[in-house]
Amino acid sequence: MRKSHPVRRVVLTTAATVSGIVLLLALKPASDPSSAQAAGGAAPQGGGGAAVGTTVTGDAAATQYGAVQVRLTVAGGKITGAEAVQAPKGGHSSEVTADAVPKLNQAAVTAQSADIDTVSGATYTSEGYRTSLQSALDKMKTAGGAQGTGQTVVAGDVAQTQYGPVQVRITVSGGRVVRAEAVQAPQGGHSSEVTATAVPELNQAAVTAQSADIDTVSGATYTSEGYRTSLQSALDRAGG
């Protein structure tokens, strides 16, 4: 019998090892779920897996430690996912948010309402969460009612301003804007005061003008500009 040459044995062994490593790499998942979540931000809580449906964003609720804003994912008339798109950050607030928000998200999906308990140690965040959650639920009902009465709800693009994003949503019926609202507007510190004063005026002006040709609210130049930009995009989507 012919003996194998030592060099040949080494080559064959090395080839087998490389093949095994390649096979293991091929079987390894393409991505680490935890890494994907870290890259994409916090995922909606409370749904078993990825939530599918339409999204409704509540008004931002100002608290002593920062704004809280809740966005719901709705399918079949039920809340399938909830997430806080804004929550207090910085120092101890970040720790409180990291602990409380997932619990509040889960509670919102379980309760299917804003009747959820306060998370221990996160009283202000919990109160802000409930307030924003309730406004999201109210908008969800309004949108559902609008669809049943031949009305169309159209959201404009998010317009970035020096003090934060502005996004306008309009309700159209019979070719006319019957309602306008800012689902996003600058929040925090003095911006919250400006938003509270300017947005209602801008909403009314949009309905009155039936266009984006509305005046700038005194003291709210950037918010007014962002509002007009987002409003125009909503009007364009609604057919002018």
Side-chain angles (χ1 to χ4, degrees):
M1 179 179 295
R2 187 178 179 181
K3 294 184 179 180
S4 299
H5 194 281
V7 174
R8 184 182 179 188
R9 286 200 301 271
V10 171
V11 171
L12 290 174
T13 301
T14 302
T17 301
V18 171
S19 298
I21 293 173
V22 170
L23 179 60
L24 288 173
L25 290 174
L27 293 174
K28 185 179 179 181
S31 62
D32 184 346
S34 62
S35 298
Q37 180 171 326
Q45 302 291 321
V52 178
T54 58
T55 58
V56 182
T57 304
D59 295 331
T63 78
Q64 184 173 329
Y65 296 102
V68 181
Q69 188 173 29
V70 179
R71 180 167 61 201
L72 303 178
T73 301
V74 183
K78 291 179 66 66
I79 300 170
T80 58
E83 59 183 321
V85 294
Q86 288 191 68
K89 292 182 180 180
H92 181 59
S93 292
S94 294
E95 298 176 17
V96 173
T97 290
D99 175 68
V101 166
K103 296 177 182 178
L104 293 166
N105 290 339
Q106 182 62 56
V109 176
T110 301
Q112 294 291 305
S113 74
D115 185 17
I116 57 178
D117 292 335
T118 295
V119 174
S120 177
T123 302
Y124 292 103
T125 297
S126 298
E127 289 177 356
Y129 190 101
R130 281 192 294 264
T131 299
S132 184
L133 171 58
Q134 185 60 61
S135 73
L137 291 167
D138 292 342
K139 290 174 182 179
M140 186 176 80
K141 294 176 183 177
T142 299
Q147 292 172 2
T149 57
Q151 296 180 342
T152 303
V153 179
V154 183
D157 295 331
V158 176
Q160 298 295 335
T161 77
Q162 183 174 329
Y163 296 104
V166 179
Q167 184 179 29
V168 179
R169 181 170 62 194
I170 59 174
T171 302
V172 181
S173 178
R176 291 183 58 81
V177 178
V178 295
R179 183 181 181 187
E181 57 184 324
V183 294
Q184 289 191 66
Q187 297 290 336
H190 181 60
S191 292
S192 295
E193 299 176 16
V194 173
T195 291
T197 301
V199 165
E201 294 183 25
L202 292 166
N203 290 339
Q204 183 58 56
V207 175
T208 301
Q210 293 293 304
S211 74
D213 185 18
I214 57 179
D215 293 334
T216 296
V217 174
S218 178
T221 302
Y222 292 104
T223 297
S224 299
E225 289 177 355
Y227 190 101
R228 282 193 293 264
T229 299
S230 183
L231 172 58
Q232 185 60 62
S233 71
L235 291 168
D236 292 341
R237 288 175 182 170

